[in-house]
Amino acid sequence: MLEADLLVFASPVYTLRTTAAMKALLDHLCVHWMVHRPDDRMFQKKAVILTNAIGWIQGGAQKDIATSLKWLGVSQVKKLGIPLMEDAFWTKLSAGKRQSIGGKTLFAITKMMHQGRARKESPLSADNQYWLDKGWIKL
Ligand SMILES: Cc1cc2nc3c(=O)[nH]c(=O)nc-3n(C[C@H](O)[C@H](O)[C@H](O)COP(=O)(O)O)c2cc1C
């Protein structure tokens, strides 16, 4: 984690929150919250929170992780929730659902990359200008 530019937290939703396993990791990292011993290597990092559940309600699970990231000093965080609806098994999902999940995930991760790079560029690359014009990133 300390070496990575991008942190990706992936968690299913269990009883409207993140899993006990994820919570154990977050609790372990609590020693580095701002109020204790913050690690300044976290301040430049970006993070993506990916959740999946049967239904739409994923905000609680995402917030469990986002709260920890905030207190660890990671300010650039994007969240993406995937409601499976059809089934809980990847192999049982329709081709359309699988494609939409893959596309959304790739978009969220790529967006973080463009967002991070655009803030350091002057002038903007043609790609980053395109993302800015589309309103997908901000300066
Ligand atoms: C204990 C448990 C609690 C769950 N709670 C919810 C829930 O509150 N809302 C929901 O939409 N899905 C819920 N689910 C469904 C899971 O989010 C879904 O099946 C997910 O794909 C499981 O991922 P996994 O196979 O990696 O554990 C729950 C599943 C389990 C096992």
Side-chain angles (χ1 to χ4, degrees), residues 12-17 52-57 84 87-88:
V13 176
Y14 281 3
T15 53
L16 298 177
R17 308 309 294 248
N52 68 282
I54 296 296
W56 291 96
I57 303 174
L84 297 171
D87 209 304

Side-chain angles (χ1 to χ4, degrees), residues 9 23 33 35 40 53 55 68 81 86 97 106 110 125 130 133:
F9 286 78
K23 189 64 170 66
W33 275 33
V35 286
D40 54 348
S68 280
E86 295 171 358
K97 187 80 193 173
L106 206 55
T110 315
S125 68
Y130 177 83
D133 294 344

Side-chain angles (χ1 to χ4, degrees), residues 52-56 58 82-101:
N52 68 282
I54 296 296
W56 291 96
Q58 310 205 10
I82 306 283
L84 297 171
M85 308 303 268
E86 295 171 358
D87 209 304
F89 295 98
W90 179 257
T91 49
K92 291 189 182 170
L93 295 178
S94 64
K97 187 80 193 173
R98 283 198 229 172
Q99 204 172 7
S100 90
I101 291 170

Side-chain angles (χ1 to χ4, degrees), residues 9-30:
F9 286 78
S11 170
V13 176
Y14 281 3
T15 53
L16 298 177
R17 308 309 294 248
T18 194
T19 59
M22 179 64 82
K23 189 64 170 66
L25 170 69
L26 299 174
D27 291 351
H28 177 70
L29 297 173
C30 179

Side-chain angles (χ1 to χ4, degrees), residues 58-109:
Q58 310 205 10
Q62 293 171 346
K63 197 172 172 200
D64 290 336
I65 301 167
T67 300
S68 280
L69 286 172
K70 184 168 113 183
W71 284 95
L72 287 166
V74 182
S75 54
Q76 293 189 66
V77 180
K78 295 282 175 208
K79 301 169 196 159
L80 177 68
I82 306 283
L84 297 171
M85 308 303 268
E86 295 171 358
D87 209 304
F89 295 98
W90 179 257
T91 49
K92 291 189 182 170
L93 295 178
S94 64
K97 187 80 193 173
R98 283 198 229 172
Q99 204 172 7
S100 90
I101 291 170
K104 280 182 186 171
T105 308
L106 206 55
F107 185 85
I109 291 172

Side-chain angles (χ1 to χ4, degrees), residues 6 44-48 75-78 107-121 124-125 127-132 135-139:
L6 178 69
Q44 304 305 322
K45 294 187 192 297
K46 302 170 198 78
V48 186
S75 54
Q76 293 189 66
V77 180
K78 295 282 175 208
F107 185 85
I109 291 172
T110 315
K111 181 175 169 173
M112 292 293 288
M113 287 168 47
H114 283 287
Q115 182 71 76
R117 262 190 253 136
R119 291 215 166 107
K120 294 175 202 149
E121 275 179 3
L124 284 180
S125 68
D127 283 355
N128 285 336
Q129 186 64 54
Y130 177 83
W131 278 70
L132 185 68
W136 294 335
I137 59 171
K138 296 188 183 92
L139 292 183

